[in-house]
């Protein structure tokens, strides 16, 4: 991206990016993996690899995003799956062996794997709803 | 499907993708694609709209999926018939066809929302607003969430003075822990003379257990960059430094990446966004010295010097980096700044408390369920953080204390759980907010060892520049080490206090000044623990290695040599194991069935998988030897026993305390007579514990052992009725009397109607039920009728062992319904120390009503029901549990015909009139260290002293009071009794590693259907193989202890 020449460009960039991010999320499956030190220590890199492999194998084009630490360190690796910009369903302690089932049941069939779910972040601005 | 060809001169105005992944065999997708092709051609949009199949994006059960740009909408379950509408409404008119939009399935919406989980619902995330939600390596995602909008606002609409005014108005206090007003600091720095100024971010975060700053830097580095830029603008700086410890490589990487991305966009560097403002940041890596978290030492480090503090004033805001005005703030303070600017000071001030507005970020670690990072409004009660957000203490352990402020902070006990967490309230309570580390401790933590851990750290981190810290830290550490190793004296406590005073008043910087913090706080709230370590060389928590041979022995009230008998069982040497057990606890058969097994709660194996099933192994060992009668060995020399034989001792009460004392005294040669009120001896073992928990055969056999030692047990003899205390000590010539009369008198319910017919006292109920079994086993006719509950609805009030025993007995006696009423939450029930009991009760069909309290007993003469007042949990009490308080006027009536209060017992002292024996308010006897009451020659032990407790605790007291009486009779001195710490070092004969993957077997139990209407023993024991295998899961902590103490391990041939 080129350098911003003035504050209006900053505002414009913000609006454009917001729109693009919104569209990205609303038209895809987005899989987010926590990759803070806690996540990595718990095996998030291996989980990420397993997710990419599984998506590859099934030729599913989902958006795989790495994030930082949301603060539930004890349940890492955390993976959340969001489809069409709706709720982010958060899974805890996700190890590579769990990935095929997550992709098959949640991503493809739309059925969350209840026993692995920590919770659900509703709406597309989840943190703001946590930030009164 | 081929793209519709288009001429390069015409720009595409839209696109439609229809899912058509190679794996997707759905023919419907093909038809939809074709339908679009047709419609686009028909509407002459073929050249303007790119149509293509897209790879699968998931959603397969909601397919076919069509994604239309603009506006960028995803349609589900698209049929060919829908296509014209889509093209017309969305592509041409720009409207969304709602009915085709993705509707979140019920399966998703029914999942628990973060808003409804206390872990999140009590949080307010300002500093952590983006953490875990965005990709920290993409600046776009930060900008999409209003990133750099605050900087834009500041540069475009605010003057530096405006910014400072806003920050001051917000009341933000430095989140590094000192709590100084950030706005005021920025103002000082702005006003300081000079043109060259610096902004520094303290990201050293040296506290062990603190990782808030690291997490923010790893997850949302731009928030800190933006905050620093705003601060730089306000104070007039153009260069910033982030001092980040090099032990945080990921944080440093992401920071560097973020800085580069910001520079690329022109948000850092020269002429930011054309406003003329310039600011850039450099990351300086720390080298791991804790003292560099102190601002003047940090400055020295950036300057390339050794990290050592210097006296202040002058403060860094006036003379900091290279002697120039420098603003230093913590990561979290900068991270919150953009939000304060965007939403305003009033918004920030509306969160938290008046003097501590906003939120605080904590790293919650230690013995807590939800370990991790949280952000809560200031002023939230400490207990809410630990129990609601943190999810409480795991594994059913009890909360002991919480350490705040890291190695320079202090701890707070359960009594402080209602303290609001903010700078001033914590300071008033004697604790420190610090940067935000919060370590929760349970009763497995030893406060001596814990404070020593922090002291070791702080002393090692002393830079050495000033004497109070350099030398004082060492002296403190030496004193604490002596105490934890069993060589401490009372003088060491004085040394600690004196040295601490000097360090606090004369150290050059906060490190030395606050190093004594943890140990002083521990002494303040847990001094008895230090004294126990010093006087008794005892570490109750089981942590101080030198004092704790093995946690099981250490925590057993009677200090039974558990590792020894487990090791012997592992080898099949049951008789020897039993003999060792009996040296401290003669009731192996009984305890193998009815002990709460404190040993198991501390078993180190439990930290790996499950604790060793010590009680069941013990039960097997004792059961195996059941047929062999035991004649207890003599204690002491022949001469001693001959002298003792001339003295008579009376024991009143044949419960576990009285019987054990009688046994030990008889073993020492005394003439012991036990006077028992009931027709058969045993105390609560015989007259309260039901048969399905404790069959009478084993009990009577173990009582017989006491007789075989020479004690004369006389039943049907009640104190105050058949004989008096004066009589015993006077005419009958007893040299000493032991009152081991237990606590058999029930507390009354204390509500209207509690004397109606149908209200049966809990202990009275059990005495008849258990008593019937005991009389039957002793071959005697029952002396009291069984309570009449057949076909009736029964409610038991209480949550302890008595309540559960009453409930399960009632069921077996044919009650139609059995309810247990408890005023707190289920997890708080005292009977929860025997989780299998509550589980069994539920399995058997007993209904638990929690958070209700009886308000009134209803009925006309006879009980017809009980009104139960709903409770809610309010603030914490000293037991770290929330106090139940009535919930408005909400109540309901439980219809029952029998109401059984089982809410605690006290000793029956109705016979006491006139005698000079002092009691506590609850009627338990006041005794000194030698178990002597206020009447000469009269001692007391067991539940009569402690209040209702357990068999093993009564046995332990029996051992001790016997030693005390013995000493008194020989020397005339009343001293605290001390039992020789005998230990057996049994060699290890098998490979421990072979048992690494062995798990504890399930407790063998009678199936629920077979328990109906009878009192058959519910728990079966292990068989021989299972017992041996289980005994081999023991980690042999006792052998490790020998190594620690540099003692030789036993060889195979030794024993």
């Amino acid at each position: 991206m080129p350098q911003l020449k003035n504050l209006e460009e900053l505002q414009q960039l913000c609006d454009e990016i917001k729109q693009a991010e919104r569209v990205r999320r609303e038209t895809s499956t987005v899989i987010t993996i926590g990759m803070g030190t806690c996540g990595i220590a718990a095996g998030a890199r291996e989980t990420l690899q397993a997710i990419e492999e599984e998506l590859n194998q099934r030729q599913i084009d989902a958006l795989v995003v790495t994030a930082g630490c949301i603060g539930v360190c004890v349940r890492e690796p955390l993976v959340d799956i969001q489809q069409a910009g709706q709720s982010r369903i958060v899974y805890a302690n996700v190890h590579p062996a769990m990935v095929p089932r997550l992709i098959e049941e949640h991503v493809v069939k739309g059925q969350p794997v209840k026993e692995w779910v920590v919770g659900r972040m509703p709406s597309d601005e989840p943190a703001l709803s946590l930030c009164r | 499907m081929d793209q519709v060809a288009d001429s390069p001169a015409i720009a595409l105005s839209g696109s439609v993708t229809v899912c058509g992944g190679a794996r997707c065999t759905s023919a419907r997708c093909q038809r939809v694609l074709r339908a679009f092709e047709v419609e686009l051609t028909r509407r002459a949009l073929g050249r303007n709209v790119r149509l293509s199949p897209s790879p699968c994006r998931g959603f397969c059960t909601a397919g076919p999926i069509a994604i239309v740009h603009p506006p960028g909408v995803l349609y589900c379950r698209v049929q060919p018939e829908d296509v014209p509408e889509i093209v017309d409404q969305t592509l041409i008119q720009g409207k969304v066809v709602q009915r085709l939009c993705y509707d979140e399935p019920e399966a998703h919406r029914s999942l628990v929302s973060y808003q409804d989980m206390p872990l999140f619902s009590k949080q307010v995330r300002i500093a952590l607003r983006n953490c875990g939600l965005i990709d920290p390596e993409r600046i776009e995602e930060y900008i999409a969430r209003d990133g750099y909008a605050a900087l834009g606002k500041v540069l475009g609409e605010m003057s530096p003075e405006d910014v400072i005014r806003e920050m001051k108005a917000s009341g933000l206090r430095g989140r590094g822990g000192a709590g100084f007003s950030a706005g005021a600091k920025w103002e000082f720095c702005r006003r300081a003379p000079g043109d060259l100024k610096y902004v520094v971010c303290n990201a050293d975060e040296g506290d062990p257990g603190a990782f808030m700053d690291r997490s923010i830097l790893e997850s949302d580095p731009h928030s800190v960059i933006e905050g620093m830029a705003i601060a730089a603008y306000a104070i007039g700086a153009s260069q910033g430094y982030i001092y980040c410890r090099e032990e945080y490589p990921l944080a440093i990487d992401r920071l560097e990446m973020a800085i580069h991305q910001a520079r690329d966009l022109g948000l850092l560097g020269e002429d930011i966004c054309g406003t003329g403002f310039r600011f850039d940041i450099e990351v300086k890596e720390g080298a791991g010295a804790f003292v560099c978290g102190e601002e003047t030492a940090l400055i020295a480090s950036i300057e390339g010097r050794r990290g050592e503090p210097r006296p202040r004033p002058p403060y860094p805001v006036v003379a900091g980096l290279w002697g120039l005005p420098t603003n230093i703030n913590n990561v979290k303070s900068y991270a919150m700044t953009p939000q304060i600017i965007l939403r305003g000071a009033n918004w920030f001030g509306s969160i938290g408390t008046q003097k501590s507005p906003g939120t605080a970020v904590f790293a919650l670690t230690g013995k807590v369920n939800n370990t991790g990072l949280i952000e809560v409004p200031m002023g939230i009660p400490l207990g809410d953080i630990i129990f609601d957000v943190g999810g409480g203490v795991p594994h059913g352990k009890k909360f002991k204390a919480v350490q705040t402020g890291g190695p320079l902070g202090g701890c707070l006990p359960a009594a402080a759980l209602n303290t609001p967490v903010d700078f001033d309230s914590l300071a008033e309570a004697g604790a420190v907010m610090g940067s935000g580390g919060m370590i929760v401790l349970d009763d497995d933590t030893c406060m001596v060892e814990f404070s020593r851990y922090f002291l070791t750290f702080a002393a090692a981190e002393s830079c050495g520049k000033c004497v109070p810290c350099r030398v004082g830290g060492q002296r403190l550490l030496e004193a604490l080490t002596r105490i934890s190793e069993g060589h401490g004296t009372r003088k060491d406590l004085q040394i600690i206090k004196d040295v601490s005073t000097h360090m606090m008043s004369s150290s050059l910087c906060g490190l030395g000044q606050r190093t004594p913090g943890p140990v002083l706080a521990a002494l303040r709230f847990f001094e008895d623990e230090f004294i126990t370590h010093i006087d008794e060389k005892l570490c109750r928590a089981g942590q101080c290695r030198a004092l704790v041979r093995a946690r099981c022995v250490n925590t057993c009230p009677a200090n039974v040599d558990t590792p020894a008998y487990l090791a012997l069982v592992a080898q099949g040497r049951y008789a020897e194991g039993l003999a060792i057990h009996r040296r401290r606890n003669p009731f192996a058969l009984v305890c193998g069935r009815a002990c709460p097994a404190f040993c198991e709660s501390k078993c180190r194996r439990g930290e790996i998988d499950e604790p060793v099933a010590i009680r069941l192994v013990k039960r097997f060992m004792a059961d195996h030897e059941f047929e062999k009668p035991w004649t207890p060995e003599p204690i002491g020399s022949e001469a001693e026993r001959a002298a003792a034989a001339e003295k008579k001792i009376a024991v009143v009460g044949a419960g576990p305390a009285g019987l054990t004392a009688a046994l030990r005294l008889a073993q020492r040669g005394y003439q012991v007579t036990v006077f028992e009120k009931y027709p058969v001896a045993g105390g609560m073992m015989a007259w309260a514990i039901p048969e399905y928990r404790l069959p009478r055969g084993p009990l009577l056999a173990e009582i017989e052992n006491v007789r075989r030692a020479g004690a004369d047990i006389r039943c049907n003899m009640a104190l105050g009725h058949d004989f008096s205390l004066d009589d015993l000590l006077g005419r009958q010539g007893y040299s000493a009397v032991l009152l081991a009369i237990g606590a058999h008198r029930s507390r009354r319910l204390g509500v209207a109607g509690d004397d109606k017919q149908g209200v049966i006292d809990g202990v009275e109920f059990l005495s008849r039920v258990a008593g019937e079994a005991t009389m039957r086993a002793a071959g005697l006719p029952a002396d009291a009728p069984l309570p009449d509950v057949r076909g009736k609805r029964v409610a038991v009030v209480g949550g302890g062992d008595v309540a559960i025993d009453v409930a399960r007995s009632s069921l077996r006696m044919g009650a139609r319904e059995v309810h247990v009423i408890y005023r707190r939450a289920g997890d708080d029930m005292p009977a929860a120390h025997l989780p299998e009991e509550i589980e069994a009760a539920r399995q058997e069909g007993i209904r638990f009503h929690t958070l209700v309290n009886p308000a009134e007993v209803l009925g006309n003469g006879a009980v017809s029901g009980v009104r139960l007042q709903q409770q809610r949990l309010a603030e914490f009490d000293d037991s770290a549990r929330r106090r139940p308080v009535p919930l408005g006027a909400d109540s309901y009536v439980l219809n029952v015909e029998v109401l059984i209060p089982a809410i605690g017992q006290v000793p029956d002292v109705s016979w006491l009139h006139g005698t000079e024996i002092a009691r506590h308010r609850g009627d338990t006897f006041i005794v000194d260290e030698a178990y002597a009451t206020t009447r000469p020659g009269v001692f007391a032990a067991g539940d009569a002293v402690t209040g209702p407790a357990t068999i093993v605790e009564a046995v332990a007291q029996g051992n001790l009071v016997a030693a005390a009486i013995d000493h008194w009779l020989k020397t005339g001195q009343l001293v605290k009794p001390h039992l020789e710490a005998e230990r057996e070092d049994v060699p290890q004969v098998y490979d421990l590693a072979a048992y690494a993957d062995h798990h504890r077997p399930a407790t063998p139990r009678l199936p629920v259907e077979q328990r109906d209407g009878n009192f058959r023993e519910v728990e079966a024991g292990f068989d021989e193989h299972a017992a041996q295998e289980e005994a081999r899961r023991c980690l042999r902590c006792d052998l490790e202890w020998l190594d620690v103490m540099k003692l030789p391990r036993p060889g195979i041939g030794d024993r």
Side-chain angles (χ1 to χ4, degrees):
Chain A
M1 278 178 289
Q3 289 223 338
L4 299 165
K5 291 197 273 308
N6 53 52
L7 291 173
E8 288 73 34
E9 282 191 13
L10 173 59
Q11 181 63 53
Q12 214 177 338
L13 180 62
C14 180
D15 293 336
E16 277 167 22
I17 294 178
K18 274 189 177 161
Q19 172 71 351
E21 291 288 309
R22 185 191 64 76
V23 168
R24 263 169 116 216
R25 285 194 176 258
E26 287 182 6
T27 59
S28 328
T29 295
V30 180
I31 302 178
T32 309
I33 302 158
M35 294 277 264
T37 297
C38 49
I40 294 172
R45 288 205 210 276
E46 289 74 26
T47 302
L48 173 60
Q49 207 176 348
I51 291 175
E52 287 175 340
E53 273 168 22
E54 188 71 16
L55 291 174
N56 225 1
Q57 210 182 23
R58 290 168 180 262
Q59 293 184 319
I60 296 178
D61 177 26
L63 205 55
V64 178
V65 176
T66 55
C69 159
I70 200 170
V72 197
C73 309
V74 70
R75 311 292 299 271
E76 291 281 357
L78 286 171
V79 172
D80 70 65
I81 300 180
Q82 181 188 31
Q83 293 190 299
Q86 302 293 313
S87 302
R88 293 164 80 135
I89 313 279
V90 185
Y91 292 99
N93 303 116
V94 181
H95 296 288
M98 292 157 71
V99 168
R101 192 173 159 199
L102 279 180
I103 305 294
E104 170 72 24
E105 292 186 28
H106 188 144
V107 174
V108 171
K109 296 188 178 147
Q111 290 294 322
V113 184
K114 289 201 163 89
E115 62 258 38
W116 295 338
V117 173
V118 170
R120 173 174 73 93
M121 285 193 267
S123 92
D124 57 0
E125 284 291 338
L128 281 181
S129 60
L130 288 174
C131 177
R132 287 181 259 113
Chain B
M1 180 67 214
D2 292 66
Q3 266 181 266
V4 178
D6 53 63
S7 143
I10 302 173
L12 287 169
S13 68
S15 72
V16 174
T17 56
V18 179
C19 67
R23 292 282 215 108
C24 185
T25 53
S26 166
R28 291 175 297 156
C29 298
Q30 292 296 324
R31 285 206 298 277
V32 170
L33 206 50
R34 181 153 289 286
F36 269 105
E37 198 189 313
V38 165
E39 186 67 14
L40 287 171
T41 310
R42 196 177 74 81
R43 303 293 296 254
L45 290 170
R47 288 173 172 218
N48 306 57
V49 178
R50 183 204 293 274
L51 175 67
S52 55
S54 82
C56 173
R57 296 197 175 193
F59 301 92
C60 306
T61 49
I65 306 279
I67 297 173
V68 183
H69 289 267
V73 61
L74 184 144
Y75 289 128
C76 305
R77 297 193 176 86
V78 176
Q79 303 299 317
E81 310 83 75
D82 298 318
V83 170
E85 188 182 351
I86 293 174
V87 171
D88 180 62
Q89 293 288 301
T90 309
L91 277 171
I92 296 181
Q93 296 191 49
K95 297 188 205 158
V96 169
V97 183
Q98 283 299 338
R99 68 177 175 82
L100 291 174
C101 283
Y102 178 77
D103 214 358
E104 190 164 36
E106 176 59 26
H108 291 225
R109 280 181 283 125
S110 64
L111 295 170
V112 64
S113 153
Y114 271 21
Q115 324 288 60
D116 299 326
M117 297 165 65
L119 166 56
F120 287 101
S121 62
K122 296 210 168 192
Q123 291 194 46
V124 174
R125 294 166 76 90
I126 302 178
L128 300 183
R129 61 184 296 272
N130 294 326
C131 294
L133 297 171
I134 63 165
D135 182 348
E137 299 182 6
R138 289 183 70 228
I139 191 172
E140 298 91 320
E141 296 201 22
Y142 182 68
I143 290 176
R145 290 172 62 79
D146 297 326
Y148 291 104
L151 182 60
K153 177 177 175 183
V154 157
L155 294 177
E157 299 162 31
M158 300 171 78
S159 70
E161 286 76 14
D162 289 336
V163 176
I164 288 177
R165 201 172 306 126
E166 194 72 9
M167 289 305 285
K168 282 173 75 176
S170 76
L172 173 67
R173 293 169 70 170
R175 295 300 195 251
F180 187 80
S181 160
K185 194 190 281 192
W186 293 12
E187 188 171 51
F188 285 134
C189 200
R190 175 162 192 82
R191 292 206 186 136
D195 290 327
L196 197 50
K197 299 182 183 173
Y198 295 106
V199 164
V200 170
C201 173
N202 185 344
D204 186 60
E205 194 166 58
D207 288 0
F211 49 96
M212 307 70 64
D213 297 348
R214 167 176 68 66
S215 199
I216 292 174
L217 293 174
E218 287 175 359
S219 312
D220 191 15
H222 286 285
S223 65
V224 176
I225 292 171
E226 189 180 2
M228 287 176 75
I230 292 171
Y233 177 77
I235 71 169
S238 54
Q239 178 64 37
Y241 293 94
I242 299 181
Y243 187 87
C244 182
R245 57 174 29 227
E246 57 106 36
E247 290 99 319
Y248 286 171
L250 188 57
I252 291 173
D253 272 352
R254 293 206 173 141
L255 265 176
E256 299 278 19
M257 207 182 296
I259 291 171
H260 277 112
Q261 289 181 1
R263 280 193 196 127
D264 285 346
L265 253 189
L267 289 164
L268 278 179
E270 300 292 323
D271 195 21
I272 293 174
C273 289
T275 60
F277 172 61
R278 50 182 266 269
F279 178 65
D280 210 335
I281 296 179
E282 197 180 310
V283 175
K284 158 81 178 144
E285 295 179 28
F290 179 65
V291 72
C292 286
E294 192 279 333
E295 61 182 5
T296 58
L298 188 156
I299 285 172
S301 179
I302 296 180
E303 292 175 3
R305 298 187 286 115
R306 183 173 186 267
E308 282 177 9
R310 59 154 175 78
R312 297 171 298 169
Y315 286 90
V317 282
V318 168
L321 206 44
W322 295 294
L324 298 167
T326 305
N327 180 75
I328 305 181
N329 273 120
N330 176 265
V331 167
K332 300 182 285 298
S333 307
Y334 287 122
M336 291 188 192
T337 299
Q339 285 294 291
I340 293 174
I341 296 295
L342 275 183
R343 292 174 185 241
N346 285 341
W347 162 79
F348 193 74
S350 72
I351 300 167
T353 67
Q354 214 214 354
K355 298 227 241 106
S356 300
T359 55
V361 181
F362 290 105
L364 201 52
T365 57
K367 306 298 178 73
V368 72
N369 275 310
N370 298 333
T371 42
L373 280 189
I374 59 167
E375 187 172 0
V376 288
M378 290 277 202
I380 185 175
L382 187 57
D384 282 22
I385 294 181
I386 295 168
F387 291 93
D388 296 340
V389 184
V393 180
H395 307 309
K397 304 269 184 180
K398 281 180 54 185
F399 172 85
K400 183 167 185 176
V402 59
Q403 171 85 7
T404 62
L408 305 181
C411 63
L412 285 170
L417 283 174
N418 295 312
T419 310
V421 173
D422 62 50
F423 287 106
D424 306 306
S425 307
L426 280 182
E428 259 176 57
V432 171
M433 169 80 79
S435 180
M438 205 177 256
I439 307 179
V440 181
L441 312 175
D442 65 12
D443 48 16
D444 280 351
T445 312
C446 171
M447 297 313 290
V448 176
E449 178 53 39
F450 188 71
S451 32
R452 194 175 81 95
Y453 166 76
F454 278 132
L455 187 56
T456 308
F457 174 84
E461 292 291 335
S462 169
C463 77
K465 184 166 174 179
C466 71
V467 169
C469 175
R470 183 175 81 238
V471 178
Q474 291 302 315
R475 293 291 92 81
L476 280 185
L477 188 54
E478 284 161 12
L480 257 187
T481 304
R482 281 196 292 275
I483 295 175
S484 76
E485 288 183 355
H487 310 302
T489 62
R490 295 282 187 131
K491 189 159 159 259
D492 285 319
L493 290 183
Q494 196 54 48
I495 290 175
I496 289 173
K497 289 175 185 154
D498 291 339
V499 173
S500 296
T501 308
H502 289 308
M503 284 180 79
M504 290 190 298
S505 60
S506 352
S507 296
L508 184 54
C509 81
L511 175 51
Q513 286 156 13
R514 306 218 310 267
T515 291
V519 69
L520 286 182
L523 270 173
R524 178 173 166 192
F525 298 115
F526 299 97
E527 188 171 32
D528 49 306
E529 228 174 298
F530 287 76
I531 291 179
T532 308
H533 278 68
I534 292 172
D535 290 353
E536 297 176 56
K537 317 275 183 250
L538 175 62
C539 174
R540 287 194 207 283
Q543 290 294 324
C544 293
R545 212 55 186 95
L547 301 179
V548 177
R549 176 169 155 248
R551 290 190 204 167
C552 44
V553 197
N554 194 63
T555 208
C556 173
N559 298 122
V560 173
D561 192 345
T562 307
Y565 79 72
L566 283 180
L568 288 167
V569 169
Q571 295 181 36
R573 293 156 67 177
Y574 311 117
E576 294 168 73
L578 185 56
I580 288 179
H581 188 288
R582 283 172 164 155
R583 280 192 217 155
R584 285 302 170 93
N585 181 355
F587 292 104
L589 287 166
V590 170
C591 290
R593 288 162 171 78
C595 188
F598 301 112
C599 47
E600 290 182 30
S601 73
K602 294 280 202 194
C603 175
R604 268 171 86 203
R605 184 73 195 224
E607 290 173 17
I608 299 172
D609 41 39
E610 307 86 36
V612 175
I614 300 172
R615 176 174 66 79
L616 281 168
V617 172
K618 186 227 303 287
R619 177 189 162 152
F620 170 79
M621 172 182 80
D623 282 352
H624 189 269
E625 302 295 303
F626 184 76
E627 299 300 319
K628 301 176 196 161
W630 173 49
T631 303
E633 315 76 31
I635 295 176
S637 69
E638 276 221 39
E640 285 171 328
R641 280 183 287 115
E646 291 170 21
K647 300 223 158 82
K648 290 164 56 172
I649 303 177
V651 174
V652 183
L659 286 173
T660 304
L663 171 67
R664 302 304 182 204
L665 288 166
Q667 283 177 291
R668 286 176 167 86
Y670 291 97
Q671 296 176 55
V672 183
T673 310
V674 183
F675 296 92
E676 166 56 45
K677 172 172 87 167
Y678 280 119
V680 180
M684 289 297 223
M685 300 187 288
W687 297 91
I689 301 183
E691 220 183 346
Y692 61 82
R693 275 217 285 142
L694 179 60
R696 295 315 193 236
L699 171 63
L700 295 179
E702 290 195 317
I703 296 174
E704 195 54 36
N705 293 332
V706 177
R707 285 200 181 87
R708 227 176 273 113
D712 175 17
I713 303 177
R714 298 186 200 167
C715 295
N716 294 308
M717 299 283 281
L719 177 60
H721 190 259
D722 302 299
F723 62 95
S724 73
L725 214 50
D726 294 330
D727 193 40
L728 288 178
L729 290 165
R731 190 179 62 84
Q732 296 204 44
Y734 286 95
S735 309
V737 176
L738 169 62
L739 297 173
I741 59 174
H744 291 254
R745 194 162 67 83
S746 273
R747 288 189 208 276
R748 281 185 62 161
L749 206 48
V751 299
D754 69 349
D755 52 356
K756 291 198 196 321
Q757 209 188 20
V759 177
I760 307 175
D761 166 66
V763 173
E764 167 70 20
F765 180 98
L766 280 184
S767 76
R768 295 205 223 157
V769 176
E772 186 275 332
T774 301
M775 297 293 268
R776 190 175 4 106
L780 295 167
D783 66 339
L786 286 172
D788 177 23
V789 296
R790 184 161 294 282
K792 299 195 176 164
R793 292 171 297 191
V794 175
V796 185
V797 183
D801 296 343
V802 173
I804 305 295
D805 284 346
V806 168
R808 293 179 73 194
S809 298
S810 301
L811 207 60
R812 282 158 171 77
M813 289 158 68
R816 176 151 59 106
E817 286 170 20
V818 178
H819 305 262
V820 170
I821 296 165
Y822 183 58
R823 68 193 185 101
R824 291 183 192 258
D827 296 336
D828 292 333
M829 288 179 117
H833 73 154
L834 290 171
E836 323 87 57
E837 280 295 302
I838 299 188
E839 191 205 311
R842 281 191 208 278
Q843 269 186 339
E844 290 164 12
I846 291 163
R847 283 176 247 184
F848 286 81
H849 304 246
T850 53
L851 287 174
V852 283
N853 208 22
E856 191 190 350
V857 181
L858 308 164
N860 207 347
V863 175
S864 71
V866 58
R867 175 175 301 283
L868 298 175
Q869 167 88 61
Q870 295 274 36
Q871 309 284 302
R872 64 174 177 85
L873 294 175
E875 73 281 2
F876 291 92
D877 65 24
D878 286 0
S879 69
R881 296 177 297 174
R882 285 192 186 270
R883 212 166 58 85
V885 296
L887 180 63
D890 287 9
S891 68
Y892 64 93
V893 172
L894 189 63
N895 293 318
V896 293
E897 289 84 40
V898 178
L899 183 67
I900 309 178
I903 52 174
Q905 298 89 248
V906 295
D908 177 0
V909 291
S910 51
W911 50 270
L912 253 192
H913 40 85
T915 64
E916 333 99 49
I917 301 188
R919 279 140 28 233
H920 291 288
R921 210 155 59 91
D923 277 343
T924 50
F925 294 110
I926 296 180
V927 296
D928 65 11
E929 284 187 327
Y931 294 90
T933 66
T934 48
R935 177 164 175 174
V938 178
F939 297 78
D943 281 6
V945 168
T946 60
T950 56
I951 297 170
V952 65
E953 287 168 273
V955 166
Q957 296 225 327
N959 289 330
L960 289 167
V961 72
I965 293 175
D966 177 49
H967 188 93
W968 179 67
L969 287 174
K970 287 185 168 122
T971 67
Q973 307 281 358
L974 288 171
V975 295
K976 187 169 179 164
H978 177 72
L979 300 175
E980 280 311 308
E982 310 161 311
R983 72 165 205 269
E984 286 285 340
D985 295 329
V986 179
Q988 179 74 356
V989 302
Y990 55 89
D991 179 17
L992 195 54
Y995 289 85
D997 293 321
H998 273 57
H999 283 274
R1000 172 176 170 148
T1003 306
R1005 287 201 187 102
L1006 206 59
V1008 180
E1009 323 79 69
Q1010 293 186 38
R1011 303 179 204 171
D1012 197 15
N1014 64 61
F1015 279 74
R1016 285 169 63 190
E1017 192 177 6
V1018 171
E1019 221 181 63
F1022 284 152
D1023 62 31
E1024 182 165 14
H1025 177 77
Q1028 283 204 12
E1029 289 287 279
E1030 187 58 13
R1032 288 172 176 228
R1033 283 181 64 242
C1034 168
L1035 296 176
R1036 300 303 308 273
C1037 304
D1038 62 317
L1039 295 179
E1040 266 184 54
W1041 178 81
L1042 289 173
D1043 297 341
V1044 165
M1045 303 303 283
K1046 303 202 181 1
L1047 294 166
R1049 285 201 178 204
I1052 307 271
D1054 288 356
R1055 200 202 184 277

